[in-house]
Amino acid sequence: MHAPVTDAATPLYDVAAMRRVETQAIALLGNDASALMERAGRAAWGCLLDHWPQARRIVVVCGPGNNGGDGYVLARHALEAGREVQVLHAQDQAPRSVPARQAAAAFGDAGGRVAVAGARLPDCDIVVDAVFGIGFDGRADDASHALFAAIAASAAPVLALDVPSGVDASCGDVPGIAVRATRTLQFIGHHAGLATGAALDHVGDLAVAALALPPEVFDGVAPVAWSLRGAALESLLPQRARTAHKGSAGHVLVAGGNHGMGGAAMLAASAALRAGAGLVSVATRAAHVAPLLSRTPEVMAHALEDPTRMAPLLAMADVCAVGPGLGRDAWASGVLKATIAAAHALVVDADALNLLAASPRHLPAATVLTPHPGEAARLLGRTVLEVQRDRIASARALCARYGCVVVLKGAGTVVAAPGAGTWIIDAGNPGMAVGGMGDALTGIIAALRAQGLPAAEAAVVGALQHGVAGDRAAAEGGARGMLPSDLIAALRRPGQD
Ligand SMILES: NC(=O)C1=CN([C@@H]2O[C@H](COP(=O)(O)OP(=O)(O)OC[C@H]3O[C@@H](n4cnc5c(N)ncnc54)[C@H](O)[C@@H]3O)[C@@H](O)[C@H]2O)[C@H](O)CC1
Ligand SMILES: [K+]
């Protein structure tokens, strides 16, 4: 799957790519960098007017680079519109580049006030964060820390220009502290780093200003990933023919539910049914068969105490989802071994991933792995912090190591596929941070595989469907106290997301 699964996918760029776009944009503007800065600052002023039309007192905190230059342009427009404007910068952090110095001079010529920032910002109606953009690297130095602290201490909303300062625009890492924006206006294109990971706690509402540039500015520039929103979902889900029958929608086998963990297998099986699998079987401990059937009679539940007897169950299933509630004992290892040896297609989750990390095995090519950051860390031999620091790179590394499709769960789920692209899911909410949500995702992906989607598409569409259902469940009943069964029930409801 090389192209994005739909034209509703949004290209995401890293800093290197955005630098090329910037260079091509400036060339198209007659090599006038100030003209591009003027468009950015004017677009930012328009965004401020749209969202804070009543704001009278505006504080713009400018850094030494061109992000700061954008801030000076916004400040001049605000001043010319009659607002009370104060530009602040850190000690010895006056604008360094020619366009930024020109923007600062134009602000001064218009009567603008510039001062060195103190520990606290003046009272204001809005703060504009123009400290750092895509040029930020490493960790914020002490002077920047002081600016971020002053911005955080202000009670005013924050409009971040291009990037919330202190966030890595390529990978989303926040090495130290960073500005928490109410809204972030990106320039020209979407930053990959603002779509996943720690950045999601800093961007607020995210938008992009295209700056009226022609599409040629992106010529020869490859996105590092594609973002998918809920609106794309309905067009991506497998449609059933009028002549569909339960056999044509595929057969999922869920293998898991060790002692004390039968619920995980039940959730995966319920989700597989709600996501459209024609038949769902479960191979689980004998003690879970009765309760499973009483809760979900649509499922065919098989008592499995001897993993060597799995072959007939695997033979009749189109895809096996192994891992929900599997545990890590000898039974679990036997189930995983039998599944890898005989499954037609595999979705590997939870403790099956931990067993894999402990004793790596070769996996069939069209396998989908669905780790959360902790499981990914164990599979990669890294720390969770290292995985989360660059989620796109981590998902790709795991994909390369095992030759499988990888769904790295978490805020801004990342899907990486061998020889194909990388996708980031722009759906889901903090209410989904509860045990069992991963079991539901495993069931959804297995159901899409069983309905004929290739591994990469099943992973991307399944992760999107999971996030959309989570958002629907939160919209209906609130994110607090949301349960996996709420999400599974929401799988049924078609939505205009
Ligand atoms: N890319 C585009 O299409 C557009 C870019 N514009 C704006 O320009 C910034 C990028 O500007 P640049 O000068 O390259 O970098 P920054 O302004 O982000 O800041 C870099 C500046 O800060 C110093 N610095 C970097 N890291 C640190 C740190 N950890 N601690 C302290 N200081 C640091 C560094 O030395 C530089 O001096 C982009 O984001 C847009 O806002 C155009 O104006 C619009 C289109
Ligand atoms: K900024």
Side-chain angles (χ1 to χ4, degrees):
M1 185 169 74
H2 295 276
V5 285
T6 167
D7 59 7
T10 301
L12 302 175
Y13 299 95
D14 63 8
V15 168
M18 281 313 295
R19 288 292 187 203
R20 283 199 55 194
V21 169
E22 183 184 8
T23 303
Q24 292 177 170
I26 291 171
L28 280 168
L29 294 173
N31 289 319
D32 180 355
S34 291
L36 185 61
M37 187 171 285
E38 179 61 32
R39 290 190 185 198
R42 191 168 59 239
W45 169 236
C47 174
L48 193 156
L49 275 180
D50 288 345
H51 295 278
W52 293 281
Q54 305 309 319
R56 314 302 304 167
R57 300 166 298 164
I58 301 172
V59 167
V60 184
V61 187
C62 290
N66 288 342
N67 194 246
D70 297 345
Y72 277 103
V73 172
L74 179 153
R76 190 190 84 245
H77 282 284
L79 194 66
E80 289 166 354
R83 301 307 193 271
E84 187 187 318
V85 184
Q86 172 70 57
V87 166
L88 298 173
H89 61 70
Q91 186 71 41
D92 307 326
Q93 293 290 332
R96 290 180 190 149
S97 72
V98 169
R101 287 205 306 268
Q102 287 172 346
F107 175 67
D109 295 346
R113 292 179 294 144
V114 182
V116 173
R120 297 187 65 78
L121 302 185
D123 286 345
C124 61
D125 301 313
I126 185 163
V127 177
V128 175
D129 160 26
V131 183
F132 299 126
I134 61 172
F136 178 77
D137 58 19
R139 296 177 69 84
D141 61 7
D142 293 345
S144 317
H145 256 252
L147 287 181
F148 298 170
I151 292 171
S154 159
V158 178
L159 170 61
L161 302 194
D162 207 22
V163 183
S165 296
V167 172
D168 182 315
S170 285
C171 65
D173 188 26
V174 179
I177 67 168
V179 168
R180 288 180 185 272
T182 313
R183 171 172 287 272
T184 299
L185 181 69
Q186 302 167 100
F187 297 130
I188 306 183
H190 289 263
H191 301 306
L194 302 192
T196 187
L200 293 179
D201 280 333
H202 292 267
V203 293
D205 293 327
L206 199 52
V208 68
L211 304 189
L213 290 163
E216 292 86 271
V217 295
F218 292 102
D219 284 358
V221 180
V224 291
W226 295 86
S227 171
L228 270 179
R229 292 183 313 283
L233 180 63
E234 289 306 322
S235 65
L236 298 173
L237 290 172
Q239 303 304 315
R240 283 189 175 181
R242 283 178 60 86
T243 54
H245 53 82
K246 64 188 176 189
S248 58
H251 188 164
V252 169
L253 171 66
V254 174
N258 205 335
H259 294 310
M261 296 187 277
M266 289 186 196
L267 288 169
S270 298
L273 282 168
R274 288 289 185 207
L279 294 167
V280 177
S281 299
V282 177
T284 185
R285 288 289 192 181
H288 300 145
V289 170
L292 202 157
L293 291 178
S294 64
R295 182 184 186 280
T296 318
E298 297 87 353
V299 169
M300 295 172 284
H302 303 270
L304 178 75
E305 295 300 333
D306 175 1
T308 62
R309 303 171 65 87
M310 271 193 83
L313 296 176
L314 290 163
M316 68 182 181
D318 299 299
V319 57
C320 178
V322 60
L326 187 67
R328 302 185 203 183
D329 59 8
W331 181 83
S333 298
V335 167
L336 179 59
K337 183 181 172 194
T339 306
I340 291 174
H344 295 131
L346 261 179
V347 180
V348 183
D349 184 31
D351 278 328
L353 293 170
N354 293 321
L355 288 171
L356 207 53
S359 52
R361 297 167 181 271
H362 176 71
L363 296 168
T367 296
V368 178
L369 306 181
T370 59
H372 59 51
E375 291 151 351
R378 282 186 283 276
L379 286 164
L380 285 169
R382 298 176 185 171
T383 66
V384 175
L385 192 63
E386 287 165 338
V387 167
Q388 289 293 84
R389 190 163 287 153
D390 191 338
R391 288 169 46 84
I392 293 173
S394 299
R396 282 177 164 171
L398 201 45
C399 175
R401 175 170 296 192
Y402 284 89
C404 301
V405 176
V406 171
V407 179
L408 177 57
K409 297 182 284 195
T413 289
V414 182
V415 182
T422 305
W423 290 263
I424 297 182
I425 303 304
D426 183 7
N429 61 77
M432 295 164 66
V434 64
M437 291 291 182
D439 302 317
L441 173 63
T442 297
I444 293 167
I445 294 173
L448 294 171
R449 286 289 277 128
Q451 295 169 78
L453 289 193
E457 286 207 36
V460 173
V461 178
L464 181 63
Q465 188 175 14
H466 184 253
V468 167
D471 288 341
R472 283 179 193 154
E476 285 158 10
R480 192 181 301 276
M482 193 165 87
L483 299 179
S485 40
D486 300 324
L487 181 149
I488 292 167
L491 286 167
R492 284 199 73 201
R493 282 183 277 291
Q496 301 308 320
D497 296 283

